[in-house]
Amino acid sequence: MTERKAGDVLSDGALDALFAEARFAEPDLPDGLTARILEDAQMVQAERLAAEARPPEPVRRASLWQRFVRGIGGAPALAGLGVATMAGLWLGVMPPAFVTSGVSAITGTTTSYSPYMVDSTSAFDFIVDETSSTGG
């Protein structure tokens, strides 16, 4: 029999020749079986040709946000970064006593921290003071 590679498409004449060769090699093959095999082969070829004629699906580019999330490791990594950010913010705003006492021991100061302490001076006040003292 003729050697064939997967994916080869044969013309009708080539298929007929192939089946004639198969009938000659196996004369006991019933005629109905050969006809069904031929119909199946033609159907598979038609499907392959239709698939090749279809235009390829458009490639969708990922947005900047999707590429960022994929780059850091996906949704679990993003959730971990969010939790670490919130924990750092909470410790910065309301530090526990052991953190403030440790800072006081290292720096040698006894400053107490209050979340309600607000500096009422703005950066522009220092600029005004500086220009008035230089006479400008």
Side-chain angles (χ1 to χ4, degrees):
M1 289 192 66
T2 306
E3 291 290 323
R4 294 202 6 91
K5 296 179 184 174
D8 286 348
V9 179
L10 296 176
S11 66
D12 289 339
L15 273 177
D16 290 338
L18 187 63
F19 283 118
E21 184 181 339
R23 273 193 296 271
F24 178 73
E26 291 289 331
D28 298 335
L29 220 79
D31 288 335
L33 178 63
T34 305
R36 284 184 297 202
I37 291 173
L38 183 58
E39 288 172 13
D40 287 344
Q42 288 174 346
M43 185 177 65
V44 167
Q45 282 188 337
E47 288 174 357
R48 284 186 184 164
L49 289 174
E52 290 174 0
R54 237 179 281 136
E57 298 208 12
V59 178
R60 294 181 60 196
R61 291 187 47 95
S63 69
L64 182 62
W65 176 251
Q66 289 171 332
R67 286 185 282 165
F68 171 74
V69 170
R70 201 176 319 136
I72 64 170
L78 185 63
L81 283 173
V83 168
T85 301
M86 293 308 294
L89 183 64
W90 182 256
L91 287 175
V93 171
M94 296 288 292
F98 69 87
V99 173
T100 56
S101 65
V103 171
S104 298
I106 291 172
T107 60
T109 60
T110 57
T111 307
S112 64
Y113 298 97
S114 169
Y116 303 108
M117 186 174 81
V118 177
D119 185 13
S120 62
T121 59
S122 75
F124 298 112
D125 292 340
F126 295 111
I127 294 173
V128 171
D129 289 344
E130 209 172 280
T131 57
S132 63
S133 64
T134 59

mmCIF file of all heavy atoms in Angstrom, residues 18-36:
data_model
loop_
_atom_site.group_PDB
_atom_site.id
_atom_site.type_symbol
_atom_site.label_atom_id
_atom_site.label_comp_id
_atom_site.label_asym_id
_atom_site.label_seq_id
_atom_site.Cartn_x
_atom_site.Cartn_y
_atom_site.Cartn_z
ATOM 1 N N LEU A 18 -6.344 4.700 -4.281
ATOM 2 C CA LEU A 18 -5.966 4.117 -2.995
ATOM 3 C C LEU A 18 -6.924 2.994 -2.601
ATOM 4 O O LEU A 18 -6.504 1.930 -2.155
ATOM 5 C CB LEU A 18 -5.940 5.215 -1.923
ATOM 6 C CG LEU A 18 -5.411 4.821 -0.555
ATOM 7 C CD1 LEU A 18 -3.951 4.408 -0.633
ATOM 8 C CD2 LEU A 18 -5.566 5.973 0.420
ATOM 9 N N PHE A 19 -8.220 3.211 -2.800
ATOM 10 C CA PHE A 19 -9.189 2.178 -2.451
ATOM 11 C C PHE A 19 -9.113 0.991 -3.410
ATOM 12 O O PHE A 19 -9.320 -0.158 -3.014
ATOM 13 C CB PHE A 19 -10.606 2.747 -2.400
ATOM 14 C CG PHE A 19 -10.850 3.532 -1.148
ATOM 15 C CD1 PHE A 19 -11.154 4.879 -1.216
ATOM 16 C CD2 PHE A 19 -10.769 2.930 0.091
ATOM 17 C CE1 PHE A 19 -11.370 5.603 -0.067
ATOM 18 C CE2 PHE A 19 -10.984 3.646 1.243
ATOM 19 C CZ PHE A 19 -11.286 4.990 1.176
ATOM 20 N N ALA A 20 -8.802 1.259 -4.676
ATOM 21 C CA ALA A 20 -8.634 0.155 -5.631
ATOM 22 C C ALA A 20 -7.446 -0.702 -5.221
ATOM 23 O O ALA A 20 -7.501 -1.935 -5.280
ATOM 24 C CB ALA A 20 -8.451 0.701 -7.050
ATOM 25 N N GLU A 21 -6.382 -0.049 -4.757
ATOM 26 C CA GLU A 21 -5.210 -0.768 -4.278
ATOM 27 C C GLU A 21 -5.550 -1.588 -3.043
ATOM 28 O O GLU A 21 -5.119 -2.731 -2.895
ATOM 29 C CB GLU A 21 -4.089 0.238 -3.970
ATOM 30 C CG GLU A 21 -2.783 -0.393 -3.558
ATOM 31 C CD GLU A 21 -1.722 0.648 -3.230
ATOM 32 O OE1 GLU A 21 -1.857 1.798 -3.691
ATOM 33 O OE2 GLU A 21 -0.772 0.301 -2.510
ATOM 34 N N ALA A 22 -6.378 -1.009 -2.136
ATOM 35 C CA ALA A 22 -6.785 -1.744 -0.940
ATOM 36 C C ALA A 22 -7.675 -2.931 -1.306
ATOM 37 O O ALA A 22 -7.556 -4.008 -0.713
ATOM 38 C CB ALA A 22 -7.516 -0.809 0.018
ATOM 39 N N ARG A 23 -8.545 -2.774 -2.283
ATOM 40 C CA ARG A 23 -9.410 -3.883 -2.709
ATOM 41 C C ARG A 23 -8.588 -4.989 -3.354
ATOM 42 O O ARG A 23 -8.871 -6.170 -3.173
ATOM 43 C CB ARG A 23 -10.464 -3.376 -3.691
ATOM 44 C CG ARG A 23 -11.703 -2.847 -3.018
ATOM 45 C CD ARG A 23 -12.842 -2.664 -4.017
ATOM 46 N NE ARG A 23 -12.561 -1.661 -5.035
ATOM 47 C CZ ARG A 23 -12.837 -0.368 -4.905
ATOM 48 N NH1 ARG A 23 -13.414 0.082 -3.827
ATOM 49 N NH2 ARG A 23 -12.545 0.471 -5.873
ATOM 50 N N PHE A 24 -7.575 -4.593 -4.075
ATOM 51 C CA PHE A 24 -6.733 -5.594 -4.721
ATOM 52 C C PHE A 24 -5.943 -6.377 -3.665
ATOM 53 O O PHE A 24 -5.774 -7.585 -3.781
ATOM 54 C CB PHE A 24 -5.775 -4.911 -5.707
ATOM 55 C CG PHE A 24 -4.839 -5.866 -6.381
ATOM 56 C CD1 PHE A 24 -5.314 -6.738 -7.363
ATOM 57 C CD2 PHE A 24 -3.503 -5.913 -6.034
ATOM 58 C CE1 PHE A 24 -4.451 -7.620 -7.978
ATOM 59 C CE2 PHE A 24 -2.646 -6.797 -6.647
ATOM 60 C CZ PHE A 24 -3.111 -7.651 -7.616
ATOM 61 N N ALA A 25 -5.447 -5.663 -2.620
ATOM 62 C CA ALA A 25 -4.676 -6.332 -1.573
ATOM 63 C C ALA A 25 -5.579 -7.202 -0.707
ATOM 64 O O ALA A 25 -5.176 -8.263 -0.241
ATOM 65 C CB ALA A 25 -3.950 -5.309 -0.717
ATOM 66 N N GLU A 26 -6.795 -6.777 -0.430
ATOM 67 C CA GLU A 26 -7.755 -7.511 0.393
ATOM 68 C C GLU A 26 -9.022 -7.744 -0.427
ATOM 69 O O GLU A 26 -9.978 -6.973 -0.328
ATOM 70 C CB GLU A 26 -8.080 -6.700 1.662
ATOM 71 C CG GLU A 26 -6.955 -6.582 2.641
ATOM 72 C CD GLU A 26 -6.671 -7.906 3.345
ATOM 73 O OE1 GLU A 26 -7.592 -8.725 3.523
ATOM 74 O OE2 GLU A 26 -5.508 -8.126 3.699
ATOM 75 N N PRO A 27 -9.094 -8.765 -1.201
ATOM 76 C CA PRO A 27 -10.264 -8.961 -2.052
ATOM 77 C C PRO A 27 -11.524 -9.338 -1.280
ATOM 78 O O PRO A 27 -12.610 -9.240 -1.812
ATOM 79 C CB PRO A 27 -9.847 -10.104 -2.989
ATOM 80 C CG PRO A 27 -8.719 -10.783 -2.309
ATOM 81 C CD PRO A 27 -8.082 -9.788 -1.416
ATOM 82 N N ASP A 28 -11.403 -9.732 -0.015
ATOM 83 C CA ASP A 28 -12.560 -10.142 0.771
ATOM 84 C C ASP A 28 -13.289 -8.963 1.391
ATOM 85 O O ASP A 28 -14.243 -9.150 2.144
ATOM 86 C CB ASP A 28 -12.127 -11.110 1.879
ATOM 87 C CG ASP A 28 -11.519 -12.382 1.305
ATOM 88 O OD1 ASP A 28 -11.847 -12.717 0.158
ATOM 89 O OD2 ASP A 28 -10.718 -13.015 2.020
ATOM 90 N N LEU A 29 -12.876 -7.753 1.136
ATOM 91 C CA LEU A 29 -13.510 -6.562 1.708
ATOM 92 C C LEU A 29 -14.896 -6.373 1.103
ATOM 93 O O LEU A 29 -15.045 -6.360 -0.120
ATOM 94 C CB LEU A 29 -12.647 -5.337 1.390
ATOM 95 C CG LEU A 29 -12.505 -4.310 2.490
ATOM 96 C CD1 LEU A 29 -11.478 -4.787 3.497
ATOM 97 C CD2 LEU A 29 -12.121 -2.995 1.926
ATOM 98 N N PRO A 30 -15.932 -6.253 1.920
ATOM 99 C CA PRO A 30 -17.270 -6.049 1.351
ATOM 100 C C PRO A 30 -17.385 -4.675 0.683
ATOM 101 O O PRO A 30 -16.749 -3.706 1.093
ATOM 102 C CB PRO A 30 -18.203 -6.149 2.560
ATOM 103 C CG PRO A 30 -17.351 -6.171 3.764
ATOM 104 C CD PRO A 30 -15.945 -6.377 3.362
ATOM 105 N N ASP A 31 -18.212 -4.592 -0.366
ATOM 106 C CA ASP A 31 -18.360 -3.342 -1.115
ATOM 107 C C ASP A 31 -18.981 -2.240 -0.261
ATOM 108 O O ASP A 31 -18.633 -1.078 -0.385
ATOM 109 C CB ASP A 31 -19.208 -3.570 -2.368
ATOM 110 C CG ASP A 31 -18.440 -4.370 -3.408
ATOM 111 O OD1 ASP A 31 -17.196 -4.306 -3.368
ATOM 112 O OD2 ASP A 31 -19.083 -5.030 -4.237
ATOM 113 N N GLY A 32 -19.909 -2.559 0.618
ATOM 114 C CA GLY A 32 -20.542 -1.554 1.470
ATOM 115 C C GLY A 32 -19.562 -0.902 2.420
ATOM 116 O O GLY A 32 -19.634 0.300 2.692
ATOM 117 N N LEU A 33 -18.598 -1.693 2.916
ATOM 118 C CA LEU A 33 -17.595 -1.140 3.832
ATOM 119 C C LEU A 33 -16.703 -0.140 3.102
ATOM 120 O O LEU A 33 -16.392 0.928 3.618
ATOM 121 C CB LEU A 33 -16.755 -2.269 4.437
ATOM 122 C CG LEU A 33 -15.635 -1.834 5.370
ATOM 123 C CD1 LEU A 33 -16.214 -1.130 6.598
ATOM 124 C CD2 LEU A 33 -14.794 -3.021 5.788
ATOM 125 N N THR A 34 -16.321 -0.477 1.896
ATOM 126 C CA THR A 34 -15.484 0.425 1.111
ATOM 127 C C THR A 34 -16.214 1.740 0.849
ATOM 128 O O THR A 34 -15.621 2.820 0.938
ATOM 129 C CB THR A 34 -15.090 -0.240 -0.211
ATOM 130 O OG1 THR A 34 -14.465 -1.486 0.064
ATOM 131 C CG2 THR A 34 -14.136 0.625 -0.994
ATOM 132 N N ALA A 35 -17.500 1.674 0.554
ATOM 133 C CA ALA A 35 -18.270 2.893 0.298
ATOM 134 C C ALA A 35 -18.369 3.757 1.556
ATOM 135 O O ALA A 35 -18.236 4.983 1.486
ATOM 136 C CB ALA A 35 -19.669 2.527 -0.204
ATOM 137 N N ARG A 36 -18.562 3.122 2.708
ATOM 138 C CA ARG A 36 -18.632 3.913 3.959
ATOM 139 C C ARG A 36 -17.286 4.535 4.307
ATOM 140 O O ARG A 36 -17.207 5.675 4.761
ATOM 141 C CB ARG A 36 -19.113 3.023 5.110
ATOM 142 C CG ARG A 36 -20.608 2.747 5.045
ATOM 143 C CD ARG A 36 -21.035 1.979 6.227
ATOM 144 N NE ARG A 36 -20.308 0.695 6.141
ATOM 145 C CZ ARG A 36 -20.691 -0.430 6.736
ATOM 146 N NH1 ARG A 36 -21.748 -0.447 7.471
ATOM 147 N NH2 ARG A 36 -19.992 -1.528 6.599
#
